[in-house]
Amino acid sequence: MSERGIQWFRFTAPANFYDLAGRLIPWFAALTVALFGVGLYMGLVVAPSDYQQGDSYRIIYIHVPTAWMGMFLYVLMAVYAAIGLIWRIKIAEIMAKSIAPTGALFTFLALWTGALWGRPTWGVFWVWDARLTSMLLLLFLYLGYMALHAAIDDRQRASNASAVLAMVGVVNVPIIYFSVHWWNTLHQGASITVTEAPTMAMIMFVTLMIMVLAAWMYSIAVVLARARVELLERERTAHWVRERLEGERG
Amino acid sequence: MMEFLAMGGYAPYVWGSYLVMAGLLVVEMMQLRYRRRSLMNWIRRMARLRAQEEKR
């Protein structure tokens, strides 16, 4: 292993991870506030209303970021769970467990904002079509993961069992993404793809991307903060914890 | 200002989305802070008890 590799490996040691995360969180928190500030101002005030949907389209600025985060975070959670399961890296297990609540929250918000957007545009809060149903399944996968983790007392077994659930559930993510192509659905297709120019006005696109970034920064800050607490709970009797508590206040 | 709040007649939908999101993010952060505080207190209490034990 190169020296550089060893340097990075250091951060998987609990005390180093704890310190590094502690240093990073304020930066991500500051970026979250700044990006949400700019994004909300642009989305609610600067961007013009839509010629068809009026002001109801403004829900897009939180509906799309929350839906993307719900899906991204699930994949990230499954990757960390797999790393924890295969290589027995404690930090990876902690990261997987720390992502779940935030992922579930964003998935719920995607469904909630979708319902409130569906009512004025489609006339209904909810339909059992492919996109909406697979998104609801994602929420249940998150909740199932969290429930399974909480139901098993032995920490290692809880981590292993829920890791398998997380990895199996990952097939649902491409199903959500492609559902609008594979089935006839009320939900519109993707307005933003990697291969084509976005089918929306530039100001709307830029605002949306700022809100997506804000959601990323928020997720990183909160997940790191939760991982730190999780780590402290596991290691509360370790020497390094006592050392750090001398200088730090709750 | 009233026009802004009215959101072109879609106020319940638009604000219902934004406020619920803001509320839930705040709840998540507060819950995390509470969890951290109580854990810190527990660790400190244990440290104090240990110190007393050692004195005896």
Side-chain angles (χ1 to χ4, degrees):
Chain A
M1 199 187 274
S2 71
E3 258 176 53
R4 195 158 189 186
I6 292 164
Q7 281 298 307
W8 277 108
F9 188 70
R10 265 165 44 97
F11 291 118
T12 61
N16 293 328
F17 174 87
Y18 185 85
D19 292 341
L20 178 69
R23 277 200 302 276
L24 290 177
I25 289 167
W27 293 98
F28 285 111
L31 280 172
T32 305
V33 173
L35 287 166
F36 267 135
V38 174
L40 286 173
Y41 178 70
M42 284 176 72
L44 292 172
V45 181
V46 179
S49 12
D50 185 74
Y51 79 102
Q52 276 181 323
Q53 297 187 25
D55 284 319
S56 71
Y57 95 96
R58 292 184 197 277
I59 295 171
I60 199 177
Y61 300 122
I62 51 178
H63 178 67
V64 169
T66 51
W68 281 3
M69 283 320 295
M71 290 158 68
F72 280 139
L73 286 177
Y74 193 92
V75 175
L76 206 58
M77 178 179 88
V79 168
Y80 274 120
I83 292 172
L85 186 65
I86 296 165
W87 287 292
R88 298 256 158 272
I89 295 171
K90 198 193 288 173
I91 299 297
E93 291 173 7
I94 289 173
M95 282 302 283
K97 194 185 172 201
S98 302
I99 288 171
T102 302
L105 177 64
F106 276 123
T107 306
F108 170 78
L109 283 170
L111 291 165
W112 175 265
T113 55
L116 285 179
W117 195 8
R119 177 67 200 171
T121 39
W122 302 336
V124 286
F125 285 110
W126 181 262
V127 280
W128 290 101
D129 86 343
R131 171 57 69 86
L132 280 68
T133 308
S134 54
M135 202 64 190
L136 185 64
L137 181 62
L138 185 72
L139 179 62
F140 290 155
L141 280 168
Y142 275 122
L143 298 180
Y145 173 91
M146 287 155 69
L148 187 60
H149 222 301
I152 304 174
D153 281 332
D154 181 77
R155 188 167 279 152
Q156 195 57 56
R157 288 183 59 194
S159 186
N160 292 353
S162 50
V164 173
L165 174 67
M167 287 156 67
V168 172
V170 99
V171 294
N172 186 44
V173 173
I175 293 178
I176 298 172
Y177 186 78
F178 292 111
S179 59
V180 285
H181 300 286
W182 291 344
W183 293 284
N184 275 323
T185 145
L186 206 50
H187 197 284
Q188 66 170 76
S191 310
I192 299 154
T193 56
V194 188
T195 46
E196 287 158 64
T199 57
M200 55 165 76
M202 207 23 138
I203 171 117
M204 295 180 184
F205 176 73
V206 170
T207 306
L208 187 54
M209 288 305 111
I210 291 172
M211 291 299 280
V212 168
L213 263 182
W216 264 112
M217 296 302 115
Y218 173 84
S219 303
I220 295 172
V222 167
V223 167
L224 284 180
R226 189 178 291 114
R228 277 182 110 213
V229 177
E230 194 74 37
L231 187 63
L232 272 189
E233 270 175 7
R234 293 185 189 210
E235 307 249 323
R236 51 186 153 196
T237 51
H239 183 65
W240 68 266
V241 172
R242 241 177 300 158
E243 238 173 37
R244 271 153 189 81
L245 274 194
E246 314 273 293
E248 196 181 340
R249 291 189 44 190
Chain B
M1 189 63 192
M2 284 316 286
E3 200 189 322
F4 173 69
L5 289 178
M7 275 292 148
Y10 293 108
Y13 305 107
V14 174
W15 297 122
S17 299
Y18 279 84
L19 292 181
V20 166
M21 175 162 173
L24 287 182
L25 296 192
V26 168
V27 167
E28 183 183 29
M29 289 185 285
M30 277 170 44
Q31 188 266 341
L32 197 54
R33 166 174 287 196
Y34 174 78
R35 194 175 149 196
R36 183 175 168 82
R37 285 244 170 100
S38 17
L39 178 64
M40 291 292 200
N41 288 337
W42 185 92
I43 296 173
R44 284 208 192 87
R45 207 160 53 236
M46 287 297 130
R48 261 201 308 277
L49 283 177
R50 203 176 304 112
Q52 282 172 6
E53 290 276 308
E54 276 163 17
K55 248 185 240 167
R56 255 183 245 155

